[in-house]
Amino acid sequence: MANEAYEAVIGLEVHTHLLTRSKLFCGCAAGFGAGPNENVCPVCMGMPGVLPVLNRYAVELALRMAFAAHSEVQPYSVFARKSYFYPDLPKGYQISQYELPLCKGGYIEIGNGGQPRRIRLVRIHMEEDAGKNIHEADSSLVDFNRSGVPLVEIVSEPDLRSADEAGAYLRELRAILRYVGASEGRMEEGDFRCDVNVSIRRKGSAELGTKTEIKNLNSFRFVEKAIAYEVSRQVAILESGGRIVQETHLWDPVREQTRPMRSKEFANDYRYFPEPDLPPLRLDAEMIEQVKVSMPELPAQRRERYQHELGLSAYEGAVLTEDKEVADYFESLLLVGLNNPKTAANWTMSEVLRALNESGKTLGQAVPPASETGALLKMVEETTLSLNAAKTAFAMMCKSGRGASATVDEMGLVQVSDEAVIAAACDQVITAEREKVAEYRAGREKLFGFFVGRVMKAMGGKGNPKIVNDLLRRRLAGN
Ligand code: ADP
Ligand code: MG
Ligand code: ZN
């Protein structure tokens, strides 16, 4: 922050799609990729006279999120109408939860470099998404495919203190959502969106300042930039004797600044009232228990396990577990019999993540199956392949889709460990470099590296380095 006298106070409201096949209150498909208005029916188009029917699986996914976030599941919650007008909302109201949400409280733990910090949650509730307006040069279009897709909204207490912390919180939240299978959390697709509430106060003060809210950010980078911008804007206002006005802002990614929405657009009177077309949501203890016992391993638990059972560092654990698919891949490498978790961890963190990031594809498309990568790493372990040769082979396998042994053969990468072959190469170099050998034997031991280089070159780089070193040292010593 520009001014050390102030502290930022941030609370986030995250909306994320639940990974259901069908929408929250009708049978229409909830996935992406269909043509405009293909996944619609009278319910999600807001026709009069239709009745919503709750998707139980969406509730189950929301409960998984609740357990992962240590949030208190409410056996009795109520859907409510949130009324506002917008062309992508044909009913004129969104079905949400208000006074009695599905879950209260909870927390998300963030690493924050050192000491873990608990960011408390206010609530987690369910609601339906709206459609999507598409503005073109001379017309505006509406696509209702997204209308009625189930969302959970996760509201944090104003516990975050910097843009970095907000980023760490969002990453952990998204990781959890993906681990429990509640959401894919894809920001590019608008799966995972965030409203950012920001205020500042004098350091040491316990009171909250007036906040502004920045709506609908759909990338981590935008969230971090918007917070930094908004904090310095507020500091400048207070420093010049001004007053912060509570208002809603939009982030302009081109100008990299926030600007207020016109006040009419966010008149905040939603006139919530209980949804008369849906009964209150009653969860019996059995259903709650069933979800609880079927909870999968969470990112934090996996990090623990990597540190304590596999001997990896906290940093390695954090990098490997951020994306569940990457962590699963790492574990598959261990399953194919690699003796050393460090080898698999290093390979995943360098080669696998690089291939993933450079290709822009999904993990399954970007890298060979773990069995093939494992076979390659086994060759390194058994010293039939140098580490560098393995990297070359891996890059090729990512492109060609061919297996490990075929690739190593085709590229002629196998490391030579045959002592007779290596000894012959050593002798050849010793004969060709009589003068240098004499110098070495007279005490210029630094020349050893030179001889290793020559032998390796003579062998096309494929000599097993350990055997080359051993044999060369013995032969130079004259025996
Ligand atoms: P609103 O009624 O404006 O939506 P809420 O009290 O429901 O406000 O809070 C919405 C979000 O704003 C929550 O994430 C909360 O933590 C955050 N928030 C509330 N007050 C502040 C504040 N003074 N500064 C920063 N964030 C705040
Ligand atoms: Mg809000
Ligand atoms: Zn529908």
Side-chain angles (χ1 to χ4, degrees):
M1 195 186 321
N3 193 318
E4 290 297 320
Y6 295 94
E7 157 176 87
V9 174
I10 302 152
L12 301 181
E13 296 162 274
V14 171
H15 293 86
T16 187
H17 281 162
L18 291 170
L19 199 49
T20 55
R21 263 179 212 282
S22 55
K23 294 186 179 181
L24 189 53
F25 299 118
C26 62
C28 293
F32 290 98
N37 295 306
E38 279 181 10
N39 297 338
V40 297
C41 74
V43 173
C44 55
M45 298 263 292
M47 304 288 172
V50 296
L51 283 177
V53 177
L54 179 64
N55 179 339
R56 297 290 291 193
Y57 185 57
V59 178
E60 189 180 319
L61 293 182
L63 291 187
R64 281 196 215 164
M65 183 58 218
F67 286 125
H70 319 276
S71 190
E72 199 183 301
V73 174
Q74 308 297 303
Y76 181 90
S77 63
V78 170
F79 286 99
R81 287 191 182 180
K82 177 180 182 180
S83 299
Y84 62 97
F85 173 79
Y86 216 60
D88 62 13
L89 189 74
K91 292 199 295 283
Y93 60 86
Q94 177 190 21
I95 303 179
S96 180
Q97 296 189 305
Y98 187 56
E99 278 172 344
L100 296 170
L102 184 66
C103 322
K104 290 185 186 164
Y107 63 88
I108 301 287
E109 204 162 77
I110 59 172
N112 196 27
Q115 207 56 356
R117 278 225 315 125
R118 283 187 181 178
I119 307 305
R120 292 167 306 148
L121 302 184
V122 180
R123 57 194 271 150
I124 301 176
H125 68 252
M126 301 182 70
E127 60 187 28
E128 58 176 342
D129 207 350
K132 208 165 150 180
N133 294 318
I134 299 147
H135 301 293
E136 299 193 331
D138 53 2
S139 60
S140 284
L141 307 166
V142 193
D143 180 359
F144 291 111
N145 284 348
R146 215 177 62 183
S147 166
V149 168
L151 294 172
V152 277
E153 176 169 347
I154 302 153
V155 183
S156 87
E157 294 282 358
D159 283 353
L160 297 155
R161 293 290 172 268
S162 67
D164 282 351
E165 279 198 352
Y169 169 86
L170 289 173
R171 285 188 179 87
E172 183 66 10
L173 197 57
R174 191 178 65 158
I176 290 172
L177 285 162
R178 290 160 71 129
Y179 270 69
V180 302
S183 177
E184 288 187 278
R186 290 170 307 184
M187 292 188 106
E188 327 75 59
E189 267 92 355
D191 239 11
F192 187 88
R193 314 189 291 265
C194 178
D195 299 341
V196 178
N197 299 272
V198 183
S199 64
I200 58 169
R201 64 183 173 197
R202 291 226 160 246
K203 267 209 185 120
S205 158
E207 261 170 67
L208 290 176
T210 304
K211 73 176 165 90
T212 57
E213 177 171 6
I214 312 157
K215 280 270 182 213
N216 244 332
L217 293 157
N218 65 353
S219 97
F220 291 137
R221 217 163 41 84
F222 290 170
V223 168
E224 287 165 358
K225 282 189 166 179
I227 290 172
Y229 177 87
E230 188 55 24
V231 167
S232 41
R233 192 188 69 88
Q234 292 186 13
V235 169
I237 290 175
L238 292 192
E239 281 296 288
S240 63
R243 201 171 57 84
I244 310 296
V245 181
Q246 176 158 356
E247 55 192 4
T248 305
H249 287 226
L250 285 177
W251 173 246
D252 181 337
V254 178
R255 294 209 182 114
E256 301 205 329
Q257 58 191 37
T258 59
R259 60 182 158 79
M261 283 166 80
R262 269 173 296 130
S263 61
K264 268 189 194 156
E265 279 176 14
F266 68 94
N268 243 347
D269 192 357
Y270 295 122
R271 309 231 165 199
Y272 283 100
F273 65 90
E275 167 60 62
D277 288 343
L278 283 166
L281 177 55
R282 291 172 206 273
L283 301 176
D284 52 59
E286 199 181 329
M287 175 186 182
I288 297 177
E289 192 54 29
Q290 222 170 33
V291 178
K292 200 175 198 167
V293 298
S294 68
M295 283 292 286
E297 187 181 43
L298 297 171
Q301 294 167 327
R302 217 179 248 215
R303 283 195 292 268
E304 266 290 299
R305 185 159 62 79
Y306 287 3
Q307 272 190 65
H308 294 114
E309 287 175 22
L310 302 178
L312 301 180
S313 71
Y315 173 76
E316 288 166 329
V319 175
L320 289 170
T321 55
E322 179 169 338
D323 186 337
K324 178 168 186 291
E325 277 197 307
V326 171
D328 287 343
Y329 191 87
F330 161 69
E331 294 196 17
S332 313
L333 289 180
L334 297 180
L335 283 179
V336 299
L338 284 179
N339 292 324
N340 187 350
K342 275 270 195 236
T343 311
N346 287 340
W347 191 270
T348 306
M349 289 168 59
S350 55
E351 304 311 309
V352 173
L353 283 181
R354 175 178 318 121
L356 182 63
N357 294 334
E358 282 176 1
S359 70
K361 298 180 192 160
T362 65
L363 188 70
Q365 297 166 331
V367 299
S371 56
E372 290 304 321
T373 304
L376 194 68
L377 291 178
K378 265 201 129 43
M379 290 185 219
V380 176
E381 233 171 45
E382 289 157 3
T383 73
T384 47
L385 199 65
S386 74
L387 192 61
N388 272 333
K391 290 180 181 174
T392 308
F394 184 76
M396 177 55 84
M397 287 159 68
C398 290
K399 285 198 206 107
S400 69
R402 309 260 296 150
S405 69
T407 304
V408 167
D409 284 347
E410 282 161 19
M411 298 181 82
L413 292 169
V414 171
Q415 182 161 280
V416 178
S417 297
D418 185 330
E419 296 208 2
V421 177
I422 294 175
C426 291
D427 289 343
Q428 190 193 326
V429 170
I430 287 170
T431 314
E433 301 288 350
R434 275 178 208 288
E435 279 175 33
K436 290 253 165 48
V437 172
E439 282 177 47
Y440 175 85
R441 286 181 175 156
R444 269 195 76 192
E445 290 189 4
K446 271 201 270 175
L447 279 171
F448 187 69
F450 162 81
F451 295 115
V452 172
R454 296 303 302 263
V455 172
M456 280 304 217
K457 194 167 176 216
M459 299 189 65
K462 289 175 206 150
N464 178 323
K466 188 174 176 307
I467 302 178
V468 168
N469 272 273
D470 286 354
L471 288 186
L472 197 53
R473 208 175 283 285
R474 270 192 269 151
R475 287 181 130 66
L476 283 170
N479 42 34

